[in-house]
Amino acid sequence: MNKFKLFLFLIFSLFFFSFLTPFISTFFSNFEGTNQLNSIFSSNFKGANQYFNNDMNYERKIYFTIQSFSNEDSFEKYLLFLKNNKVSGITFYGLHKKLKFEPSKIFARLKNEINDLQIYIAGDNFDFFKQISEDKELMKYVSGFHIEYEYWNYYKYKKKNREEAFNYFIEESKKIKDLTNKNNIKFEAYFGWFNQVEANSFINLFDSISIHAYTKNPENVGNYIKERIITLYKINPAFQWFVLCSAERDFMKESIEKYGLEKLEKMILESIKATFNDSTFTDILSNPFSNYGANSDYSNFVDYLKNFRGFYWFTGEKIAF
């Protein structure tokens, strides 16, 4: 009789634990620690597929010089290029020069042809932008200001060192930020190389930033920008960012000629997606002994993927013709 009871007990125990196993597994998979990270990166890291998904659901912005639109023939050619390539924004160089035409008339024509086109103006100092802001007719069409000051190449500006150039950049950016706030327009910046200390100082000054990927191989873009993306994510997971690529011959001119913009951008998105899904990238973020682990809020990482805004291309003149 005792043997029969023991046999029933064993049968019941096996049945009971087999019934509870799924619930135990679910509980521990949601537990704080490595299993939680694994859950986030295995399920939510489909975010890379979700947000870098090869559809034209991102922005495509291009640099142009204002002089390129100053005669009728070139205006019509570039306008056709903008429409055919679904360009969402133009950032114009050249407004610091003495012009024999009125930029406001060019802006007005562009907005009349492409109503939702964003028009930004590029410059490198506060005085320039202040002068622009005083042209009320021009400002009717301006979506934002775009500072381009390469402090990491400080010798271009006759600065003694990188620190001096960076401090100048920050002081000018703060004043321009106040100016854009007063005019209810956006403020964005282009960056090449920066470190974490610098990023801590600048990241909250801008509505969006573009990070250069000056490489010839589109499949290398993800690795090229990886460390800078991690640095920015650590400081502010909500930052809005573009990838800046160059159509110069030393960079992606040949790829543009071979593939066209849309296919090339798909290749770049695949490169970024592969980098985000790569175990070495997720390990950096999940390592509790690294600067990116322990206290990080990993649930925000998928939201961070949503903040990819699109592409910036330098320059339209090198792409269109």
Side-chain angles (χ1 to χ4, degrees), residues 10 20 26 48 72 108 130 148 160 164 186 249 272 292 314:
L10 290 173
L20 285 181
T26 300
E72 190 63 27
K130 186 174 186 299
E148 185 166 312
K160 289 185 296 185
E164 181 184 7
K186 300 294 186 181
R249 184 63 62 181
I272 298 172
Y292 307 101
F314 177 87

Short mmCIF file of all heavy atoms in Angstrom, two decimals, residues 10 20 26 48 72 108 130 148 160 164 186 249 272 292 314:
data_model
loop_
_atom_site.label_atom_id
_atom_site.label_comp_id
_atom_site.label_asym_id
_atom_site.label_seq_id
_atom_site.Cartn_x
_atom_site.Cartn_y
_atom_site.Cartn_z
N LEU A 10 4.62 10.35 -6.82
CA LEU A 10 5.60 10.67 -7.87
C LEU A 10 4.90 11.09 -9.16
O LEU A 10 5.32 12.07 -9.81
CB LEU A 10 6.50 9.46 -8.13
CG LEU A 10 7.49 9.11 -7.01
CD1 LEU A 10 8.20 7.79 -7.31
CD2 LEU A 10 8.50 10.24 -6.85
N LEU A 20 3.54 23.71 -14.00
CA LEU A 20 4.05 25.00 -13.54
C LEU A 20 5.24 25.52 -14.36
O LEU A 20 5.55 26.71 -14.31
CB LEU A 20 4.50 24.90 -12.07
CG LEU A 20 3.41 24.85 -11.00
CD1 LEU A 20 4.04 24.79 -9.63
CD2 LEU A 20 2.49 26.07 -11.11
N THR A 26 8.31 32.00 -17.45
CA THR A 26 7.88 33.37 -17.73
C THR A 26 8.31 34.33 -16.62
O THR A 26 8.79 35.44 -16.88
CB THR A 26 6.35 33.44 -17.87
OG1 THR A 26 5.96 32.59 -18.95
CG2 THR A 26 5.89 34.88 -18.15
N ALA A 48 15.14 47.20 -34.75
CA ALA A 48 16.02 47.51 -35.87
C ALA A 48 15.34 47.15 -37.18
O ALA A 48 15.47 47.86 -38.18
CB ALA A 48 17.34 46.76 -35.73
N GLU A 72 17.16 80.37 -64.11
CA GLU A 72 15.93 79.63 -64.40
C GLU A 72 16.20 78.19 -64.80
O GLU A 72 15.50 77.27 -64.34
CB GLU A 72 15.16 80.35 -65.51
CG GLU A 72 13.75 79.80 -65.74
CD GLU A 72 12.84 79.99 -64.53
OE1 GLU A 72 13.08 80.93 -63.73
OE2 GLU A 72 11.90 79.20 -64.37
N ALA A 108 10.46 81.24 -51.78
CA ALA A 108 9.02 81.32 -52.04
C ALA A 108 8.62 80.40 -53.19
O ALA A 108 7.60 79.70 -53.11
CB ALA A 108 8.62 82.76 -52.34
N LYS A 130 21.98 86.09 -36.87
CA LYS A 130 21.23 87.26 -36.40
C LYS A 130 20.85 88.15 -37.58
O LYS A 130 19.71 88.64 -37.66
CB LYS A 130 22.06 88.05 -35.39
CG LYS A 130 21.31 89.21 -34.72
CD LYS A 130 22.15 89.85 -33.64
CE LYS A 130 21.34 90.90 -32.88
NZ LYS A 130 20.89 92.00 -33.77
N GLU A 148 27.31 74.74 -38.78
CA GLU A 148 28.35 73.85 -39.28
C GLU A 148 29.70 74.46 -38.91
O GLU A 148 30.22 75.33 -39.63
CB GLU A 148 28.22 73.65 -40.78
CG GLU A 148 29.21 72.64 -41.32
CD GLU A 148 28.87 72.18 -42.73
OE1 GLU A 148 27.70 71.84 -42.96
OE2 GLU A 148 29.78 72.18 -43.58
N LYS A 160 43.86 77.96 -31.25
CA LYS A 160 45.09 77.37 -30.71
C LYS A 160 44.97 75.85 -30.56
O LYS A 160 45.94 75.13 -30.77
CB LYS A 160 45.41 77.99 -29.35
CG LYS A 160 45.88 79.43 -29.42
CD LYS A 160 46.30 79.94 -28.05
CE LYS A 160 45.14 79.97 -27.08
NZ LYS A 160 45.51 80.58 -25.77
N GLU A 164 39.73 75.31 -27.36
CA GLU A 164 39.37 76.69 -27.64
C GLU A 164 38.28 76.74 -28.72
O GLU A 164 37.31 77.51 -28.60
CB GLU A 164 40.59 77.49 -28.10
CG GLU A 164 40.27 78.95 -28.38
CD GLU A 164 41.46 79.72 -28.93
OE1 GLU A 164 42.50 79.10 -29.22
OE2 GLU A 164 41.33 80.95 -29.09
N LYS A 186 13.56 75.64 -35.84
CA LYS A 186 14.41 74.56 -35.33
C LYS A 186 15.88 74.93 -35.40
O LYS A 186 16.29 75.83 -36.13
CB LYS A 186 14.16 73.28 -36.14
CG LYS A 186 12.75 72.76 -36.09
CD LYS A 186 12.36 72.29 -34.71
CE LYS A 186 10.98 71.65 -34.69
NZ LYS A 186 10.59 71.22 -33.33
N ARG A 249 33.60 62.39 -54.68
CA ARG A 249 34.24 61.25 -55.35
C ARG A 249 35.01 60.37 -54.39
O ARG A 249 35.07 59.15 -54.56
CB ARG A 249 35.15 61.78 -56.47
CG ARG A 249 35.81 60.70 -57.31
CD ARG A 249 34.82 59.86 -58.07
NE ARG A 249 34.02 60.64 -59.02
CZ ARG A 249 33.07 60.10 -59.78
NH1 ARG A 249 32.77 58.81 -59.67
NH2 ARG A 249 32.38 60.85 -60.61
N ILE A 272 23.34 49.66 -40.80
CA ILE A 272 23.04 50.14 -39.45
C ILE A 272 22.27 49.09 -38.67
O ILE A 272 22.56 48.80 -37.50
CB ILE A 272 22.25 51.47 -39.51
CG1 ILE A 272 23.09 52.55 -40.20
CG2 ILE A 272 21.84 51.92 -38.11
CD1 ILE A 272 22.32 53.83 -40.47
N TYR A 292 27.99 51.73 -20.04
CA TYR A 292 26.68 51.74 -20.68
C TYR A 292 25.72 50.75 -20.01
O TYR A 292 24.60 50.59 -20.44
CB TYR A 292 26.82 51.39 -22.16
CG TYR A 292 27.82 52.25 -22.85
CD1 TYR A 292 29.10 51.79 -23.12
CD2 TYR A 292 27.51 53.56 -23.20
CE1 TYR A 292 30.04 52.60 -23.73
CE2 TYR A 292 28.43 54.38 -23.81
CZ TYR A 292 29.70 53.90 -24.08
OH TYR A 292 30.61 54.70 -24.68
N PHE A 314 25.53 65.44 -48.76
CA PHE A 314 26.41 66.53 -49.17
C PHE A 314 27.02 66.15 -50.53
O PHE A 314 27.71 65.14 -50.65
CB PHE A 314 27.51 66.71 -48.13
CG PHE A 314 28.51 67.77 -48.49
CD1 PHE A 314 28.29 69.09 -48.16
CD2 PHE A 314 29.69 67.44 -49.16
CE1 PHE A 314 29.22 70.07 -48.49
CE2 PHE A 314 30.61 68.42 -49.50
CZ PHE A 314 30.38 69.73 -49.16
#
